[in-house]
Each structure stands twice: as C-alpha cells, then as structure tokens.
Amino acid sequence: MNRVSTAYCQARVVHSAVELGLFPFLTGRSATAAEIVEGLGLHPRLTGDFLDSLVGLGFLERDDDAGGGYSNSAGAEEFLVPGSPLHLGGSMYSHATIHYHVWGKLTEALRDGHAKSGVIADASFQRSYKDPDHLRQFMDHMDGYTSFVGHELVNCVDWTSYESFVDFGGARGNIAMRLVKAHPHLRGGVFDLPEIKPLFDEHMEKHGTADRITFHEGDFFESPLPATDVAVIGHVLHDWPPSARARLIGRLGEAVRPGGMLVIYDAMIDDARRDPESLLQSLRCRMMREGGSEYTAAECGAWVEAAGFEVRRLLPVDTLTDDRILTAVKVAT
C-alpha cells in the first residue's frame, strides 16, 4: 500500500532527469556526480541521492571501481535518448510538465467535475498548434506512443487485401511511415490540422517515405475527408464526448470504400471495469479535457455498426497504454 502511496516519488525523479536532459548528457559516456553537477547546473546537496535513486530504479549504472562514474542503462539509452527509434523522452516530458501537475488537482476535479488542464478540446488543438516549439514537443510525445502501436498495427492487421489507408489524426505520420515500410504495396495518407504539415514533411524526408504518404490537411469534423480503402484512427476518440465520437466514426464510414476496413486503437475499458490501467487512462483523459474519457469495446462497436461496418476482430496488444485494436469491414450496399 505504501508503494502505491509514494509511487509519485519515483515518477518525479525520472521526470526531473528528463527535464534536466540527464540522459542525452550521459549518452555514450560516463560522468562523475561532480561533472554532472557542473554540466547540468545542479546543486550538489540533492544530486547524490538523485543519481543513486536512478541507479536503483534501473535508469543509470554506477561504476564503483572507476571513481563512481554514472552512465545510462541500456534501457535509458534505448528509450530516453533523443533520436533513438523508440524514444519516450518526449512523452515523459509532457507527463513531467503538464500531466503531473494536472493530476495534482484530482481531488478538486472530483468535487467540481471539471478537467484541470485549462483547455477545451475543440479549441485546444488549434491554439496549441500555433506554437511551433509546443507542437514539436507534442509530436515527440505522440511518437512515443505510436512507435509501439505502429509495431502492433504492422503485424496484427491483415493488409494484404487493401492498397491504401489514411491515418486520421495521424500527427506527423509516425504510424503511416511504419506501415508503408513494412508493407511495400500500401500507399498511405495522414489527415490532420495544417500546422502539422512542415513536421510531417520533415518526418517523411527523414525516413525516406515522402513519395508514398500524402498529407491531407483539415478538420476531420468539418472538412471533406479523402476516400480510402482503410481508415485508421487511434488515441483520438478519447479526446471527445460520445456524441462527437459517433459523428466522427460516421464520417469515416462515408470515406471508406465499400468492402474497406476501419481500424480503431485505444485503451478501451474492459466490460467488467476492473482493469486499473485502462481506468486510470480514462481518468487521465477526463482530467485533461472536458468530455474526454476512454470507452468500452461494446460502446465502440455500437458506433462502428451505426456507421455501416461489421466488427470482425478485437485484439488486446502490447503497447504503452495496453491498447485494444478493433477492426471492422464496411458492408457493401
């Protein structure tokens, strides 16, 4: 019980390490506590316990035979150094600077019922996307999650019968890039707000996929949607109230060609409402955005069927948020 009560201490230590840039500072090298203090502008009073806590948690290694030098663990090198394929630093930075403080207002939220991020869903994206630095950081945050989801979508969905897909709300195209690399016959698209286009172009150029993925700009509630064989949408529906989710899936039903497929991934709540991970994820959505929450697979299935699809598969997958992937086929009329 006490470990749950004090779990925030572990999270805060790692968050501060990410905010300070400790892991990129140590990449490929070892440094003493004194060198870290000087290099990162820290005060020595707390630094020893801070660094050794990270050793105990498995994020750093300490060489006691070589002057007590600190270096990144293999996991920190793989996940917390910018530029690594599975970089989670952007996601941790968002949790450190935004989510952590929002969660501190949970008691207040339980009393008044309101989100505590200070944003409203239908305006927050357009407003926050005007800030280039914030937008780039948010894309790093999203990529941390979609790198794992992309791996599952590549391997768990049968793409052989389809030639095209569009990832709606697909950010700078991290999932789309992984799909076309793994399945050379596919041609992809990403639909998102116009402010993301420069970061999309940069990401496609970096991965050599610019000639196989097209960016479609617009608002997926108001703008015309591109026709496609497969519509992909994930970590999007939970930002909106149920009526908006049903409306959006209905619009995707119009965009998908007859016989095409709809793929939805999210941390769907188990029907018995006993899985703490999905329930905590749902609570986080409610804390971040008015109207936001996770939803059950049964609720999702009802929206999908109302839009003219038949649910074919629901698959739990190994991602950061223990997502489920729902696939459905559009009924020919």
Side-chain angles (χ1 to χ4, degrees):
M1 188 173 292
N2 188 57
R3 286 190 176 185
V4 174
S5 179
T6 60
Y8 68 92
C9 300
Q10 298 181 32
R12 191 59 250 179
V13 164
V14 180
H15 288 171
S16 290
V18 169
E19 287 186 89
L20 291 167
L22 175 62
F23 301 112
F25 179 79
L26 289 176
T27 187
R29 61 176 292 198
S30 175
T32 65
E35 291 169 333
I36 293 170
V37 164
E38 181 179 0
L40 298 181
L42 308 182
H43 193 286
R45 190 177 81 85
L46 281 73
T47 302
D49 286 349
F50 170 67
L51 294 173
D52 288 338
S53 294
L54 289 166
V55 172
L57 291 171
F59 289 87
L60 296 182
E61 296 179 353
R62 186 185 64 230
D63 189 348
D64 294 325
D65 296 327
Y70 295 90
S71 58
N72 288 334
S73 68
E77 279 288 325
E78 183 176 9
F79 296 111
L80 296 176
V81 174
S84 62
L86 297 175
H87 181 233
L88 294 177
S91 175
M92 284 199 177
Y93 187 84
S94 287
H95 287 293
T97 58
I98 301 173
H99 294 251
Y100 187 89
H101 304 287
V102 169
W103 273 95
K105 300 178 181 178
L106 177 59
T107 303
E108 178 185 337
L110 288 168
R111 289 191 172 119
D112 65 26
H114 292 299
K116 297 303 171 185
S117 63
V119 298
I120 301 172
D122 59 0
S124 64
F125 293 107
Q126 290 89 340
R127 184 170 62 250
S128 63
Y129 283 12
K130 301 298 183 184
D131 180 346
D133 292 335
H134 173 84
L135 180 57
R136 184 175 292 278
Q137 194 282 316
F138 183 63
M139 293 298 103
D140 287 342
H141 168 66
M142 295 298 295
D143 285 356
Y145 288 92
T146 57
S147 292
F148 291 85
V149 174
H151 173 79
E152 299 296 332
L153 291 176
V154 162
N155 294 291
C156 297
V157 176
D158 184 1
W159 298 95
T160 56
S161 300
Y162 305 102
E163 296 180 355
S164 67
F165 70 89
V166 175
D167 187 358
F168 291 90
R172 62 180 168 192
N174 198 42
I175 282 181
M177 174 271 293
R178 292 171 184 274
L179 288 176
V180 300
K181 278 192 168 185
H183 300 286
H185 72 284
L186 287 175
R187 293 295 179 268
V190 169
F191 189 97
D192 217 309
L193 294 172
E195 290 82 1
I196 295 177
K197 177 66 160 54
L199 295 182
F200 166 85
D201 291 338
E202 178 183 281
H203 203 58
M204 295 302 103
E205 184 67 25
K206 174 183 176 180
H207 292 282
T209 52
D211 61 333
R212 299 180 58 199
I213 304 173
T214 302
F215 189 84
H216 306 272
E217 63 181 53
D219 178 331
F220 47 44
F221 286 109
E222 304 296 338
S223 304
L225 302 184
T228 183
D229 293 341
V230 181
V232 179
I233 189 166
H235 296 174
V236 171
L237 299 176
H238 64 200
D239 287 328
W240 308 92
S243 60
R245 299 170 197 168
R247 179 186 169 202
L248 178 52
I249 291 177
R251 299 203 75 213
L252 297 181
E254 298 172 358
V256 173
R257 300 183 180 100
M261 181 168 59
L262 173 63
V263 178
I264 300 174
Y265 63 87
D266 228 329
M268 300 179 197
I269 299 172
D270 62 301
D271 291 335
R273 293 183 61 84
R274 292 184 179 275
D275 173 27
E277 295 303 322
S278 61
L279 291 166
L280 288 170
Q281 172 69 6
S282 185
L283 196 56
R284 184 172 71 177
C285 293
R286 293 182 188 276
M287 290 289 291
M288 292 301 297
R289 301 190 187 281
E290 299 285 355
S293 73
E294 293 297 347
Y295 46 88
T296 67
E299 290 171 320
C300 186
W303 300 324
V304 166
E305 290 174 359
F309 293 92
E310 288 184 355
V311 176
R312 294 295 172 86
R313 193 182 188 196
L314 179 68
L315 181 68
V317 290
D318 184 15
T319 62
L320 293 181
T321 48
D322 293 326
D323 294 299
R324 297 183 185 188
I325 298 175
L326 182 148
T327 57
V329 173
K330 185 173 180 178
V331 181
T333 58

